[in-house]
Amino acid sequence: MQIPFSPPRIDQKTIDAVVDTLKSGWITTGPKTKLFEKQLAQYTGAPTVLCLNSATAGLELALRWFGVGKGDEVILPAYTYSATANVVLHCGATPVFVDVNKDDFNISIAEIAQYISAKTKVIMAVDFAGLPCDYSNINSLVNNDDVKSLFKPSSKNQKKLDRILVLSDAAHSIGGTYKGKRVGALADISVISFHAVKNLTTAEGGAMCFNLPEPFDNQEIYQALSVKALHGQNKDALAKTKPGSWKYDIIEPGYKYNMTDIAAAIGLVELERYDNDMLVKRKEICEFYNKYLLEYSWAQLPILENDIKDSSYHLYALRIREITEQQRDQIIALISEAGVAVNVHFIPVPMMSYYRSIGFDIADYPFAYDNYSREISLPVYYDLSLEQARYVCETVTEAVEKVLNKVEA
Ligand SMILES: *Cc1c(COP(=O)(O)O)cnc(C)c1O
């Protein structure tokens, strides 16, 4: 049996939607993208949503909109994909990595509190594997009087918010819930990814969910960022095609981050069947893994839900107890030989060559390293049958026991 890691769900419905768009006479940002934005706002509960060509673009736009630059610090977990950190560097600001929780891989609130300084402008929280961070605690922290009194606003939007911005890297977590609210409505700005391997895909794409408090107007922010995401042009391509509407202005040196209607057409199909079909299937697979692996003492099962939160079941992040990084790699090699594709999420950012070259050291993030060194992500995707999931479990079990027994022998 050959089992891939996470192929996209593409069927006739997706293909028809793309073909319809190709034949419609409008293929870049237009009616499909606008409709997708409205439906995403409805689904997430965020007041407004802006679609873009990636989540990375959304994270960077959020930092730029808030006026983050040289001398500013952005707090983020060491345990994330490098995009979360790269955008901080693009803005000329300093990433301040903090360690993660031992149990759920998410950013440690206690660590955040320790690293807040007068330079901190943004906290980027990553909902690892789809499990929302503890947003009540993060939101209380940034609204705490002592923390607020440290904040030194240096841009119009920083003055208006008058505290640290909570920016959620929700690349994994669309559909996840926390205290009865959906991801998108939990932080000031949340950024979802529609990359090909993510839960809901448009091949490439992302969305910013705006949920800023008074006196901000989330509709106004949506307008401002639509302009920022399209050259700083005060009219989009669709508005310009109306006869007589040729004139436009550039009001700032903007970016080129817009989503195409071809991508949005895929997204609309995906969203329509996301809750009742995709999420149900993913949950079933993850719960099957949990149930099968529960009886093995070497298996440390991931948290999929608790009293206040529920995952989007993006990744099934298994950890093997008391093994080294080398043993983990041996286990993965055996699993791969049996035809099952697994992955590791993530190699912590401070371990990457570039980040090491600018002075970061994984030794400063012991939980991130421990989680990484023992982690194996099992396949989770729509077309994976429970029979295949059983084969994955058998393969993993055999590989782990082989490597563990070698040590004992
Ligand atoms: C995938 C991912 C991103 C980047 O998403 P893109 O849409 O590819 O830009 C950012 N952060 C995390 C945690 C991710 O997994």
Side-chain angles (χ1 to χ4, degrees):
M1 219 186 282
Q2 290 289 321
I3 299 180
F5 184 70
S6 76
R9 177 190 185 188
I10 303 293
D11 59 12
Q12 198 56 46
K13 207 164 176 195
T14 318
I15 293 165
D16 290 345
V18 169
V19 172
D20 282 352
T21 308
L22 290 172
K23 289 178 174 169
S24 73
W26 195 265
I27 55 175
T28 187
T29 315
K32 297 260 162 62
T33 305
K34 303 290 164 200
L35 181 62
F36 189 35
E37 288 173 343
K38 286 220 166 65
Q39 293 191 359
L40 283 166
Q42 212 160 34
Y43 179 74
T44 58
T48 54
V49 172
L50 174 65
C51 282
L52 301 166
N53 59 7
S54 73
T56 306
L59 293 171
E60 178 158 345
L61 269 191
L63 298 180
R64 301 268 183 199
W65 170 82
F66 201 52
V68 172
K70 203 168 178 332
D72 293 334
E73 293 179 352
V74 175
I75 293 179
L76 74 164
Y79 208 80
T80 183
Y81 182 61
S82 55
T84 324
N86 288 349
V87 296
V88 176
L89 294 176
H90 295 173
C91 295
T94 305
V96 176
F97 292 108
V98 304
D99 211 350
V100 291
N101 298 322
K102 208 178 163 144
D103 54 357
D104 67 4
F105 299 83
N106 278 341
I107 193 164
S108 155
I109 315 286
E111 286 280 313
I112 295 177
Q114 216 174 315
Y115 283 90
I116 287 175
S117 79
K119 294 175 178 171
T120 309
K121 293 293 165 66
V122 180
I123 294 169
M124 289 167 97
V126 179
D127 299 336
F128 178 81
L131 192 71
C133 294
D134 284 311
Y135 286 102
S136 297
N137 296 338
I138 299 174
N139 291 331
S140 314
L141 187 61
V142 298
N143 282 296
N144 170 289
D145 287 339
D146 292 341
V147 171
K148 277 186 84 168
S149 67
L150 265 181
F151 188 71
K152 303 267 177 304
S154 57
S155 74
K156 192 184 82 197
N157 288 323
Q158 288 175 22
K159 285 193 184 94
K160 202 162 164 180
L161 187 64
D162 199 30
R163 61 159 170 81
I164 295 169
L165 179 80
V166 180
L167 173 58
S168 165
D169 178 339
H172 297 179
S173 58
I174 181 172
T177 60
Y178 178 83
K179 295 191 176 172
K181 282 188 181 173
R182 281 216 178 106
V183 163
L186 299 170
D188 295 321
I189 301 176
S190 305
V191 182
I192 298 165
S193 173
F194 306 129
H195 178 269
V197 302
K198 300 289 167 38
N199 276 21
L200 194 162
T201 189
T202 61
E204 292 283 0
M208 301 177 84
C209 305
F210 302 113
N211 184 41
L212 281 133
E214 296 275 341
F216 285 101
D217 174 348
N218 289 294
Q219 186 57 39
E220 214 172 83
I221 295 169
Y222 167 83
Q223 290 297 345
L225 284 168
S226 305
V227 170
K228 210 183 219 6
L230 194 73
H231 309 294
Q233 190 171 296
N234 65 346
K235 251 182 216 173
D236 67 19
L238 190 65
K240 272 179 65 198
T241 51
K242 297 213 178 80
S245 293
W246 59 274
K247 238 183 201 174
Y248 65 90
D249 191 17
I250 297 295
I251 58 176
E252 63 173 318
Y255 300 86
K256 183 64 168 69
Y257 287 161
N258 56 307
M259 176 179 276
T260 71
D261 264 20
I262 301 171
I266 303 173
L268 284 164
V269 172
E270 291 267 284
L271 185 58
E272 193 191 349
R273 57 197 190 185
Y274 187 64
D275 239 23
N276 301 328
D277 199 3
M278 177 59 97
L279 275 188
V280 174
K281 192 70 198 281
R282 301 187 83 94
K283 183 171 178 164
E284 192 179 59
I285 294 164
C286 291
E287 286 178 347
F288 178 89
Y289 285 153
N290 259 4
K291 207 167 147 212
Y292 186 103
L293 296 167
L294 183 64
E295 61 178 285
Y296 296 94
S297 57
W298 47 257
Q300 185 180 351
L301 308 181
I303 298 170
L304 303 174
E305 59 185 321
N306 64 23
D307 295 349
I308 53 167
K309 51 173 110 170
D310 194 2
S311 177
S312 69
Y313 304 89
H314 175 54
L315 299 172
Y316 186 87
L318 175 68
R319 278 167 289 181
I320 314 297
R321 292 186 202 277
E322 291 170 29
I323 56 164
T324 63
E325 184 181 350
Q326 290 69 28
Q327 286 175 306
R328 188 273 314 277
D329 293 352
Q330 287 165 12
I331 294 167
I332 290 182
L334 290 173
I335 297 170
S336 310
E337 274 169 29
V340 175
V342 292
N343 249 304
V344 173
H345 295 90
F346 290 104
I347 304 170
V349 185
M351 289 178 77
M352 298 296 182
S353 306
Y354 178 73
Y355 285 86
R356 278 186 301 165
S357 81
I358 58 172
F360 292 104
D361 182 353
I362 190 61
D364 296 328
Y365 315 96
F367 289 135
Y369 180 74
D370 179 62
N371 283 336
Y372 153 76
S373 66
R374 302 186 296 107
E375 201 269 354
I376 303 174
S377 301
L378 306 188
V380 183
Y381 56 91
Y382 183 81
D383 295 306
L384 185 81
S385 68
L386 293 186
E387 221 170 292
Q388 288 172 311
R390 178 176 298 279
Y391 180 70
V392 170
C393 289
E394 288 163 0
T395 306
V396 169
T397 303
E398 202 174 306
V400 171
E401 292 185 344
K402 206 165 177 180
V403 169
L404 291 182
N405 290 337
K406 206 155 57 187
V407 177
E408 279 164 23

